[in-house]
């Protein structure tokens, strides 16, 4: 149990386009989902926390208009990178859980912006 | 400085024990975690320890917590080549839906045959 999926696993896009990444909790309902970003050989940096039905809480330095997060249901959260640029290329990982005490991580999405 | 710190690299021989160390700064953290990340993959929760515990053992894994020194360690007994990965420690800040995990930089464990 406690499986979290992400789609797509890998995406390459042109600069200026928008990319949507989905995060799903497959066998449980997640009241909270977290979005992280990981640069090569670095740690995970929390971007935002989203609770179902309410606006996401963004970490300092993360542009909310650039990284749009929607958490419309208890099993699905989406991250849209708008007007992507090469510096947005990264590994994006979501996690889902009832609380921080129990977070289950997705397999990650590799975004490459050309 | 960083909230959570780890050494970046550890190399051991197959069959030896591995000890990965971590220091954290927030004494109010309730849970501390160890995650494993294999290349190109997400994070796998290995184990966690509640802050009022000193030690937790789970098969080959032993977690030691020194709350006074804010030091956490993960010992892997009889290390195998399949244990080669990056290991992250993380502390939980806050609780419930307002909480978040703060990760260390990750320790790359290399297991030589």
């Amino acid at each position: 149990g406690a499986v979290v999926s992400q789609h797509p696993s890998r995406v390459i896009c042109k600069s200026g386009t928008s990319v949507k990444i989905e995060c799903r909790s497959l066998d449980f309902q997640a009241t909270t989902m977290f979005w992280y970003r990981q640069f090569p050989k670095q740690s995970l940096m929390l971007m935002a926390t989203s609770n179902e039905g309410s606006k996401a809480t963004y970490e300092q330095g993360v542009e909310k208009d650039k990284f749009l997060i929607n958490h419309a249901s208890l099993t699905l959260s989406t991250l849209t990178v708008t007007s992507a640029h090469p510096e947005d290329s990264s590994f994006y990982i979501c996690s889902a859980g009832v609380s921080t005490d129990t977070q289950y991580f997705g397999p990650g999405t590799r975004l490459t912006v050309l | 400085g960083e909230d959570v710190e780890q050494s970046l690299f550890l190399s051991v021989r197959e069959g030896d024990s591995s000890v990965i160390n971590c220091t954290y700064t927030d004494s109010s953290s309730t849970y501390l975690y160890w995650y494993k990340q294999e290349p190109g993959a997400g994070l796998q929760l290995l184990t966690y320890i509640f802050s009022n515990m000193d030690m937790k053992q789970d098969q080959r894994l032993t977690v030691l917590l020194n709350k006074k020194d804010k030091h956490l360690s993960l010992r892997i007994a009889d290390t195998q080549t399949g244990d080669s990965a990056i290991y992250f420690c993380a502390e939980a800040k806050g609780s419930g839906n307002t909480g978040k995990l703060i990760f260390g930089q990750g320790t790359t464990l290399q297991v030589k045959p």
Side-chain angles (χ1 to χ4, degrees):
Chain A
V3 177
V4 176
S5 71
Q6 280 185 242
H7 177 79
S9 58
R10 202 174 194 94
V11 58
I12 300 172
C13 69
K14 292 182 179 178
S15 188
T17 60
S18 294
V19 174
K20 180 186 282 188
I21 303 170
E22 291 186 350
C23 177
R24 291 181 187 273
S25 55
L26 297 185
D27 50 3
F28 68 103
Q29 293 185 329
T31 53
T32 306
M33 288 186 170
F34 303 84
W35 286 95
Y36 296 85
R37 184 174 180 177
Q38 186 181 30
F39 290 104
K41 299 189 187 302
Q42 293 190 27
S43 186
L44 279 75
M45 300 300 295
L46 179 65
M47 298 174 67
T49 304
S50 72
N51 294 304
E52 184 264 339
S54 62
K55 290 184 179 179
T57 302
Y58 289 81
E59 293 299 301
Q60 193 172 8
V62 178
E63 298 175 60
K64 61 181 180 182
D65 294 330
K66 180 164 185 63
F67 298 99
L68 301 178
I69 291 172
N70 183 282
H71 191 166
S73 77
L74 287 171
T75 59
L76 173 64
S77 176
T78 60
L79 167 68
T80 302
V81 183
T82 62
S83 186
H85 290 284
E87 57 266 30
D88 298 325
S89 298
S90 191
F91 194 52
Y92 292 87
I93 305 177
C94 73
S95 70
V98 176
S99 73
T100 304
D101 301 344
T102 48
Q103 281 190 44
Y104 303 99
F105 284 80
T109 297
R110 172 75 60 194
L111 170 63
T112 303
V113 185
L114 302 176
Chain B
E2 296 285 340
D3 286 344
V4 182
E5 292 192 357
Q6 301 176 237
S7 53
L8 296 181
F9 187 78
L10 175 66
S11 180
V12 300
R13 292 222 171 265
E14 190 173 21
D16 288 348
S17 292
S18 307
V19 179
I20 303 171
N21 294 300
C22 171
T23 57
Y24 62 98
T25 56
D26 189 350
S27 58
S28 66
S29 295
T30 52
Y31 287 91
L32 295 136
Y33 302 83
W34 283 104
Y35 287 90
K36 176 183 180 183
Q37 185 180 36
E38 297 185 13
L43 271 66
Q44 173 194 352
L45 177 63
L46 287 178
T47 187
Y48 64 91
I49 189 167
F50 192 54
S51 59
N52 67 354
M53 299 167 66
D54 298 323
M55 187 191 84
K56 180 179 180 180
Q57 187 164 0
D58 184 2
Q59 299 182 334
R60 292 192 296 125
L61 305 179
T62 303
V63 179
L64 295 178
L65 175 61
N66 182 328
K67 201 172 178 182
K68 174 177 171 288
D69 294 338
K70 299 188 187 70
H71 182 267
L72 182 73
S73 68
L74 174 69
R75 179 176 180 269
I76 305 173
D78 187 24
T79 313
Q80 303 297 306
T81 54
D83 294 325
S84 294
I86 301 175
Y87 290 80
F88 291 94
C89 67
E91 62 173 346
K93 283 199 167 182
S95 61
N97 292 338
T98 61
K100 60 184 183 183
L101 292 178
I102 305 299
F103 286 86
Q105 311 96 306
T107 299
T108 298
L109 174 64
Q110 179 189 68
V111 182
K112 297 179 180 177

